[in-house]
Amino acid sequence: MSTTANDNQPPIDYLRLLAPAEHGGVLLQPAAEHLRHLVMENAKLLGKCDFTIGNIHIQQARRELRSSITDCATIIATGHQPDFIHAGVWAKHVVAVRLAKALDGRAVNVVVDSDAPRKTCITIPHTTEHGTTLLNIPYAQWPVETAFESMPPCNDRACTDFGDRLRDIAAAKEHPSLLDAFLDTYATSTGTDWVDQQVTARKAVESLLSINMEDLRISRVWTGPLLAELLTRAKEFAHIYNRALTQYRAAHRVRSLDRPLPNLVCDNNYCETALWIYKPGGQRKRLYVRSEPPATTLLADDQPIVSLDTDRLHDWEYLNNKLLTITPWAIRPRALTLTLWARLLLADLFIHGIGGAKYDRITDIIIRDFFHVQPPAIACASATLHLDLPRYPHAEQEQRSTRQALRDLQFNPQRYPTIAKNNHLLDQRAMVIRQSNTLKQQRPDDRAARREIFNRIRECNKRINDLEPQHRQHLQSRLLFWKQRAADDIIARYREHFFVLNSRPDLEMLLSKLPNVQDFAG
C-alpha cells in the first residue's frame, strides 16, 4: 500500500502518523526536504498516464481542469470541510502555501461543501473559578445530512449574537487572539451563502499571517469526465472499491464492515456508486445505477432521476448535457472519490491530515486496480496547539492516591491515629480478625461462616470510621476536586479547538515551527 511515486522516494511512515502531543508539535511525512522531488516525480508520473476517462484522454482532462483554476504549472492541494478548523488542519494550509511558493506554483484548498455538518455549533472552553466547561454556541440551524453548500448566510442578528458570545468568552484571555478579525469579516462578508462567509473570514485571518491560498468549492469545481467513467463502469468500480476496503480491514484488523466506510451495494443490474445526489437544502442520498440496456437509470436511493442511453454513457459531452436536465439535483463525490479526483486530475501533490492519509491507502488500491496506473504520492501534515487554559498534569495521579486513601480508610481505619484512640472498638476488631484467620486455617471451605465474619469485620470498620466521619468527607471532597481538575486538564490538552481561538503569539510560534520556503529546497 505504498503511496510513493517511485521506489527512490521515502514512503510515508504510517507508524509515525500520530497527532503531536505537545503544544507546538508538528508532523510532516515525508520530511520537508523530500517534498520538492516528490512533487516533480508525481508530475512526471501523471504526465505519462495514457488512458481515457469519459471518452477524454487523461492528459486533456487534467489540462482543462487545472487551467480553469490557475496558469501555474504546479498545484499543491489540500482540503477539508468548511468548518471551524483546528490548528492541525490549518498546518496543511501553511505547508501547501509554502511548498507551492518554493516551486513557483499555486496552493489550493478543496472546500468540501458537499459534506454535511455533524453539528451546527462551535464548542468553546469556558473557565470560571469552579473549573473549565465546554459551551456549545450555535452558528446555524441546519438539518442533519444536508450539505454545507446550501446553508444560507448568517444574518446580521445571528452573526451579532454568535460573535458576542464568542467575544465574551475570549475576553478574559491574557493574550489576544485573531478572533475579532475573523468575526468582523464573518459578519460583513458578502458571500452568497454560509460557506462563502466562513471561508472569507478564515482567509482574512490567514492573510494577517501571510498565508494566502485559493479555495475551491467542490460544488463549483467537481464535475467532468471522471463522473462518466464511474457511471459507465459502476459495477467494476464497486467491485474494486469493496475489495480495497476488504484488504484495508484485513491489514489493519478492522472487524466492522462499516469501518472505515461501508461497502457499496451491487447486485446484478443495480449498483451503488461512490457518489452523492441531492437537491439544494435536501438530505443527501446515495446515487445508484440501474442498468437495463439500452437504458441506464440513475436513482437517488430508490427514486429514479434520469434515464440515459447505455451505449453513450461513457461520452462525457452526452452525459453532461443530460445531467443539465436534472437540475436542481446535484451529483457530488463521496470521500474516496473526491481524493481520487484530486490526486489524478487536480494536484501534483495532495496533502492530507492524519486520518485522510491513513484512509487514502484504500484510494491507492482503487487507482491501481481501476486505472491500472501507479498512484501518485501523497504527503501528511498536522500540528498541535493547546489553548491557554489551566493545566493539571498531576490530576490523574492525585485521583488514584485519593482513591487508595479512601479504600485504606474503609478497610484499615486502625492506621489513622485520631481514630485509633478508641481501644474498645479496635480490640473488638482485632478479635474478629483473629477469628477470621483461625477460620481460614481450620475451616477454609465454610463459605457461609467466612462470609459472616467478613461482614462483622466490615461492621467494625464502619463503626470505627463513624467516630470521626470528617476523615472520609475530607477525602471524598478531595477526590471530587481532582476529578474536576482531571476533566479540566482533558479540555486543556484537547487539540481540536478552532485555531482562531489561539493567541496570535501561539499561531506565529507554530508558523515558525512549520517548514518554510527554503526548507523545501532539497
Side-chain angles (χ1 to χ4, degrees), residues 72-83:
C72 292
T74 301
I75 296 179
I76 309 299
T78 186
H80 202 265
Q81 297 87 349
D83 216 332

Side-chain angles (χ1 to χ4, degrees), residues 139-158:
Y139 62 83
Q141 296 291 332
W142 198 237
V144 175
E145 272 306 311
T146 304
F148 280 108
E149 68 172 278
S150 303
M151 189 183 295
C154 183
N155 61 41
D156 291 344
R157 179 173 180 178

Side-chain angles (χ1 to χ4, degrees), residues 1 243-255:
M1 294 187 185
R243 186 172 64 199
L245 284 171
T246 299
Q247 291 179 27
Y248 180 89
R249 293 183 190 117
H252 302 285
R253 299 179 182 179
V254 177
R255 295 184 178 181

Side-chain angles (χ1 to χ4, degrees), residues 104-398:
D104 294 323
R106 185 67 175 162
V108 299
N109 175 46
V110 178
V111 181
V112 192
D113 60 353
S114 53
D115 207 344
R118 296 178 182 176
K119 58 180 183 179
T120 52
C121 62
I122 180 173
T123 301
I124 302 292
H126 180 50
T127 301
T128 68
E129 60 183 2
H130 303 295
T132 304
T133 56
L134 293 174
L135 302 179
N136 290 321
I137 302 177
Y139 62 83
Q141 296 291 332
W142 198 237
V144 175
E145 272 306 311
T146 304
F148 280 108
E149 68 172 278
S150 303
M151 189 183 295
C154 183
N155 61 41
D156 291 344
R157 179 173 180 178
C159 281
T160 299
D161 291 345
F162 178 65
D164 287 348
R165 293 194 67 184
L166 287 183
R167 285 187 172 100
D168 286 346
I169 295 170
K173 301 298 180 186
E174 180 180 354
H175 299 290
S177 69
L178 294 175
L179 179 62
D180 281 339
F182 176 86
L183 291 173
D184 289 345
T185 308
Y186 184 80
T188 58
S189 170
T190 57
T192 59
D193 57 23
W194 181 85
V195 176
D196 278 350
Q197 191 174 30
Q198 172 77 357
V199 167
T200 303
R202 191 211 77 231
K203 288 169 69 71
V205 171
E206 291 181 327
S207 66
L208 295 174
L209 298 165
S210 301
I211 301 300
N212 297 289
M213 70 191 311
E214 185 170 352
D215 287 81
L216 305 176
R217 290 182 55 171
I218 283 299
S219 62
R220 297 172 184 172
V221 299
W222 190 87
T223 186
L226 178 60
L227 176 56
E229 193 74 10
L230 295 176
L231 296 179
T232 303
R233 301 166 62 191
K235 192 170 185 178
E236 179 186 358
F237 186 85
H239 174 71
I240 291 170
Y241 184 101
N242 292 345
R243 186 172 64 199
L245 284 171
T246 299
Q247 291 179 27
Y248 180 89
R249 293 183 190 117
H252 302 285
R253 299 179 182 179
V254 177
R255 295 184 178 181
S256 172
L257 294 180
D258 289 328
R259 292 185 56 212
L261 297 164
N263 284 8
L264 298 178
V265 175
C266 198
D267 184 21
N268 297 325
N269 65 341
Y270 181 77
C271 199
E272 180 184 0
T273 68
L275 300 162
W276 296 114
I277 184 168
Y278 49 85
K279 291 181 179 179
Q283 288 195 337
R284 298 183 302 173
K285 299 179 182 295
R286 299 177 185 275
L287 179 65
Y288 289 83
V289 171
R290 185 171 65 209
S291 179
E292 297 172 319
T296 294
T297 304
L298 304 187
L299 305 97
D301 289 341
D302 57 357
Q303 178 184 353
I305 301 300
V306 65
S307 180
L308 306 167
D309 184 342
T310 301
D311 290 338
R312 301 185 65 190
L313 192 58
H314 68 286
D315 185 337
W316 167 239
E317 185 176 353
Y318 161 78
L319 178 62
N320 189 35
N321 289 331
K322 291 292 289 186
L323 292 181
L324 293 175
T325 68
I326 71 171
T327 305
W329 288 98
I331 297 176
R332 303 286 185 253
R334 281 152 67 176
L336 296 184
T337 308
L338 174 56
T339 54
L340 185 153
W341 170 83
R343 291 173 64 185
L344 280 183
L345 296 173
L346 172 65
D348 296 290
L349 179 68
F350 194 88
I351 301 175
H352 273 294
I354 296 172
K358 290 180 176 179
Y359 291 154
D360 223 22
R361 288 176 283 187
I362 303 167
T363 314
D364 285 347
I365 301 172
I366 296 172
I367 291 174
R368 282 196 189 97
D369 293 354
F370 191 71
F371 294 105
H372 306 291
V373 297
Q374 185 175 347
I378 62 169
C380 177
S382 192
T384 292
L385 283 182
H386 296 141
L387 294 180
D388 184 17
L389 298 169
R391 291 294 309 275
Y392 302 94
H394 305 298
E396 289 292 343
Q397 180 181 340
E398 293 289 348

Side-chain angles (χ1 to χ4, degrees), residues 472-484:
R472 183 170 58 252
Q473 293 167 0
H474 169 73
L475 288 174
Q476 288 171 338
S477 296
R478 178 181 172 83
L479 181 60
L480 288 174
F481 174 84
W482 285 113
K483 277 184 177 180
Q484 179 61 55

